[in-house]
Amino acid sequence: MISNSMDYIDSRDVLERIEELEDELENLDPEASGLDVEEIEEELELLNSLKDEWGDDQSFEFGVFLIKDNCFEDYAREFAFDVGYLTTDNEWQWPYSHINWSAAAEELKIDYQEIDFDGVTYYGRE
C-alpha cells in the first residue's frame, strides 16, 4: 500500500498499485470475497489524485521520485554527495560540518515541483 506516511514514493510504484487495484475491482466476486470494495475504491481514488496532482502523465510513467517535505534536507545532503559536489572523505570536517543544510535544501527545492498527497507535501522532479 502506498500512503502519505512514506518518506519516498516512486511514481512507477503508484502506477503499478493503481493497476492492481483496478484489476481487483474488475475481478471482484462480491459474494466470495472478503475484500472491502469501499477501501479499494478509496485507495484507488487517492492514488489517482496523486497522479493527477503531478499533472504530466508521461513523466509520471517514466518515473518521478517524490520526496516527503520533512525528508528533503536529508535528501539534499545525499544528493550533494551523490553528484560529487562534496566527497565523503571529509564529510564531518570543516567546511562540510558548517554547511546550512536547511538553507541548501530550500534552495534545491526551486528545481522541484511541489505536490500535495492527501494533505502531505512532497517534492518531485522529472
Side-chain angles (χ1 to χ4, degrees):
M1 181 171 175
I2 296 171
S3 74
N4 65 0
S5 65
M6 299 172 72
D7 293 339
Y8 304 100
I9 300 172
D10 187 316
S11 64
R12 292 165 294 190
D13 293 337
V14 172
L15 295 174
E16 185 178 311
R17 183 64 179 150
I18 287 172
E19 193 173 303
E20 289 172 5
L21 292 169
E22 289 173 342
D23 287 347
E24 279 185 41
L25 284 175
E26 187 177 307
N27 300 316
L28 191 64
D29 179 1
E31 292 180 22
S33 176
L35 294 174
D36 186 350
V37 175
E38 196 172 299
E39 283 181 24
I40 294 172
E41 289 173 340
E42 285 176 14
E43 184 180 354
L44 185 59
E45 182 180 338
L46 188 63
L47 295 179
N48 275 316
S49 70
L50 173 61
K51 184 180 101 174
D52 294 343
E53 176 83 16
W54 182 257
D56 182 351
D57 287 348
Q58 188 174 13
S59 68
F60 211 73
E61 288 176 23
F62 284 129
V64 174
F65 186 64
L66 301 172
I67 305 110
K68 195 173 190 177
D69 183 46
N70 66 354
C71 298
F72 202 84
E73 185 176 326
D74 290 336
Y75 168 78
R77 185 179 300 116
E78 290 174 26
F79 180 74
F81 284 101
D82 290 347
V83 298
Y85 290 140
L86 304 172
T87 66
T88 56
D89 295 339
N90 299 325
E91 182 176 357
W92 303 113
Q93 296 176 358
W94 182 89
Y96 304 129
S97 60
H98 296 282
I99 293 173
N100 181 338
W101 286 108
S102 179
E106 285 302 312
E107 188 169 331
L108 183 62
K109 285 179 183 178
I110 293 169
D111 295 332
Y112 288 73
Q113 179 178 329
E114 180 180 324
I115 64 170
D116 177 80
F117 179 34
D118 197 27
V120 176
T121 300
Y122 282 82
Y123 294 90
R125 188 169 95 180
E126 297 177 23

